Amino acid sequence: MREAFTAELDAISDDLVHLTRLVGSAMNRATQSLLDADLRLAEEVIAADEQVDVITAETEEKCFDVIALQAPVASDLRIVIGALRIASSLERMGDLAEHVAKQARMRYPAPAIPQELRGTFAEMGGIAEAIVSKTGAVIATKDVALATDIARHDEQMDHLHRELFTIVLSPSWKHGVEAAIDVTLLSRFYERYADHAVSVTRRVVTIVTGEPYAGVTLDAGR
Amino acid sequence: MREAFTAELDAISDDLVHLTRLVGSAMNRATQSLLDADLRLAEEVIAADEQVDVITAETEEKCFDVIALQAPVASDLRIVIGALRIASSLERMGDLAEHVAKQARMRYPAPAIPQELRGTFAEMGGIAEAIVSKTGAVIATKDVALATDIARHDEQMDHLHRELFTIVLSPSWKHGVEAAIDVTLLSRFYERYADHAVSVTRRVVTIVTGEPYAGVTLDAGR
């Protein structure tokens, strides 16, 4: 019974790591589609989100079956419930990558971001990639030391998000209201993506250490 | 055993209904603080969100205990897992109300929204109130017929959200980039609030009917 439980937990963990790769690749390619105004790539990202939804649903079913069949209690149950929530967060990260790609598609053939913000979004994309890759590693290895790194990346993302407001609101902004709204929403998608990665990490840390992880702040709302 | 399970499920359902009232009141008062540039009210909404977080955590613990102690299976387990997720969505709705209040606070003593959009936000606030109140009724009564109403309210919210872009992007917009960003983000908070209400309803419908509810579309990303 215990062995079966452990094997099923491993399978769920593998699914979650797989999901981090999928939503990591999605955000990475969405960023590329944004920077290159690449319609084909944007369409691919949008189409690929269905796979994320399917794997999330399968993972949730596995969690459900483990609870129903093995009736875990105490920390074992917390692990499975935690996995359910991690799956939800990862699915949402996939949605956010899809939103970025949709923005690229909506503005095509024009680029969705002005030249002077390409660096900012390239950097946001890089941080998103780093944060999701480390999130996958936390799930796979349970090495909670990586949580510090992840929190740092999240701070970098928040910093870029705030910096973007400064750029958009400066007198030198020449791209008008529509472009300002576009980049604000895009920036918020990246910021929320990082928040969800932090939230996933926090759940793993709570499971591993048995204590709530208070080292991060989430979603300041702007 | 069965009676104990039913009683605990009722207690969880009561908690969820209570949460809909709290996050409904929060959004209602947040809207008021926005329309009146009322700092004290905004501060109250921001402070009150902690209570939502506490009750959410308590509800989650109740769900956890029911699973651990009663080992429900099949549809019973789906109900409890569904309740866990509903609690998460409601907690997030509370966060979104808090975001609205924070925006009112940030711009105080100036109003965070220009005169010509007061009607839009008053309407969004009204829809938010209707949708969350009906969401509470769906949870309390399991009357899934209300889902149609809720989906309609969500469409109204999406319509207002799109309409707001038209206003902000029209040549007659005289409030500049900062106000445009403010109202876009605010509008997105309302739109996401309605999405979460739909998501809660969808879960209740799935639990009651045993079938996924496909009658709604969520978060178009802009």
Side-chain angles (χ1 to χ4, degrees):
Chain A
M1 193 78 168
R2 183 75 207 167
E3 264 174 43
F5 179 72
T6 309
E8 283 169 44
L9 224 52
D10 285 347
I12 291 168
S13 176
D14 288 349
D15 277 0
L16 295 175
V17 173
H18 182 45
L19 277 172
T20 62
R21 293 211 186 104
L22 290 178
V23 305
S25 162
M27 192 50 129
N28 200 20
R29 291 186 305 146
T31 305
Q32 207 55 52
S33 77
L34 194 66
L35 295 173
D36 297 348
D38 182 336
L39 180 64
R40 202 183 49 82
L41 192 56
E43 295 279 15
E44 275 175 26
V45 173
I46 295 161
D49 191 54
E50 203 189 320
Q51 203 199 342
V52 172
D53 296 346
V54 168
I55 294 174
T56 303
E58 285 170 1
T59 311
E60 287 173 346
E61 277 308 297
K62 280 185 199 166
C63 293
F64 185 85
D65 288 346
V66 170
I67 298 174
L69 300 174
Q70 311 264 0
V73 295
S75 63
D76 285 347
L77 178 56
R78 286 198 193 274
I79 292 173
V80 187
I81 299 279
L84 265 175
R85 292 173 153 177
I86 288 171
S88 288
S89 290
L90 294 173
E91 196 257 323
R92 184 72 195 145
M93 288 166 78
D95 290 344
L96 291 163
E98 189 188 2
H99 289 352
V100 170
K102 281 184 171 172
Q103 198 81 1
R105 181 174 70 177
M106 186 167 69
R107 294 291 169 234
Y108 180 84
I113 47 171
Q115 181 63 31
E116 74 235 55
L117 281 174
R118 288 178 57 86
T120 303
F121 282 100
E123 210 176 330
M124 285 185 153
I127 294 170
E129 195 174 2
I131 210 168
V132 74
S133 142
K134 286 178 190 173
T135 302
V138 168
I139 297 170
T141 65
K142 317 290 180 284
D143 176 6
V144 298
L146 282 169
T148 316
D149 267 23
I150 289 169
R152 189 171 49 77
H153 288 312
D154 183 51
E155 277 164 28
Q156 292 167 333
M157 193 72 101
D158 289 347
H159 176 75
L160 286 170
H161 186 55
R162 284 191 303 271
E163 201 178 67
L164 179 130
F165 282 106
T166 317
I167 296 168
V168 166
L169 298 175
S170 77
S172 66
W173 180 258
K174 300 291 180 228
H175 308 282
V177 172
E178 180 155 52
I181 290 174
D182 277 3
V183 299
T184 301
L185 287 176
L186 278 167
S187 175
R188 184 158 168 86
F189 298 150
Y190 283 92
E191 189 245 331
R192 291 292 299 149
Y193 185 94
D195 282 347
H196 281 287
V198 170
S199 158
V200 168
T201 308
R202 197 152 62 158
R203 294 207 184 276
V204 179
V205 171
T206 305
I207 290 166
V208 173
T209 66
E211 280 170 25
Y213 176 59
V216 285
T217 51
L218 285 176
D219 186 17
R222 170 149 180 184
Chain B
M1 193 73 169
R2 183 75 207 171
E3 266 174 40
F5 179 71
T6 308
E8 282 168 47
L9 224 51
D10 285 347
I12 290 168
S13 177
D14 289 349
D15 276 1
L16 295 176
V17 173
H18 182 45
L19 277 173
T20 63
R21 294 210 184 104
L22 291 177
V23 305
S25 164
M27 193 49 128
N28 200 19
R29 293 187 302 147
T31 305
Q32 207 55 53
S33 77
L34 194 66
L35 295 172
D36 297 348
D38 183 335
L39 180 64
R40 201 183 48 81
L41 192 56
E43 296 278 14
E44 275 174 29
V45 173
I46 294 161
D49 191 55
E50 202 189 322
Q51 203 199 340
V52 172
D53 296 346
V54 168
I55 294 174
T56 303
E58 285 169 2
T59 311
E60 288 172 347
E61 276 309 297
K62 279 185 199 167
C63 293
F64 185 85
D65 288 347
V66 170
I67 298 173
L69 300 173
Q70 311 264 1
V73 295
S75 62
D76 286 347
L77 178 57
R78 286 198 194 271
I79 293 172
V80 187
I81 300 279
L84 264 176
R85 290 172 156 178
I86 289 171
S88 287
S89 290
L90 294 172
E91 197 258 321
R92 183 71 195 146
M93 289 166 78
D95 289 344
L96 291 163
E98 188 188 3
H99 289 353
V100 170
K102 281 186 172 169
Q103 198 81 1
R105 180 173 73 178
M106 186 166 70
R107 294 291 169 235
Y108 179 85
I113 47 172
Q115 182 62 31
E116 74 234 55
L117 281 175
R118 287 176 58 84
T120 303
F121 281 101
E123 211 176 329
M124 285 185 153
I127 294 171
E129 195 173 3
I131 209 169
V132 73
S133 143
K134 286 177 191 175
T135 302
V138 168
I139 296 170
T141 64
K142 315 291 180 285
D143 175 6
V144 298
L146 281 168
T148 315
D149 269 23
I150 289 169
R152 189 172 48 79
H153 288 313
D154 183 51
E155 276 165 27
Q156 292 168 333
M157 193 73 102
D158 288 347
H159 176 74
L160 286 170
H161 185 55
R162 284 192 302 270
E163 202 177 66
L164 179 131
F165 281 107
T166 317
I167 297 169
V168 166
L169 297 176
S170 77
S172 65
W173 180 257
K174 300 290 180 226
H175 309 283
V177 172
E178 180 156 52
I181 290 174
D182 277 2
V183 299
T184 301
L185 288 176
L186 279 167
S187 175
R188 184 159 169 87
F189 297 152
Y190 284 91
E191 189 245 333
R192 291 293 299 150
Y193 186 93
D195 282 346
H196 281 287
V198 170
S199 157
V200 168
T201 308
R202 198 152 63 158
R203 292 206 185 278
V204 178
V205 171
T206 305
I207 289 167
V208 172
T209 66
E211 280 170 24
Y213 176 60
V216 287
T217 50
L218 286 174
D219 185 17
R222 171 154 180 179

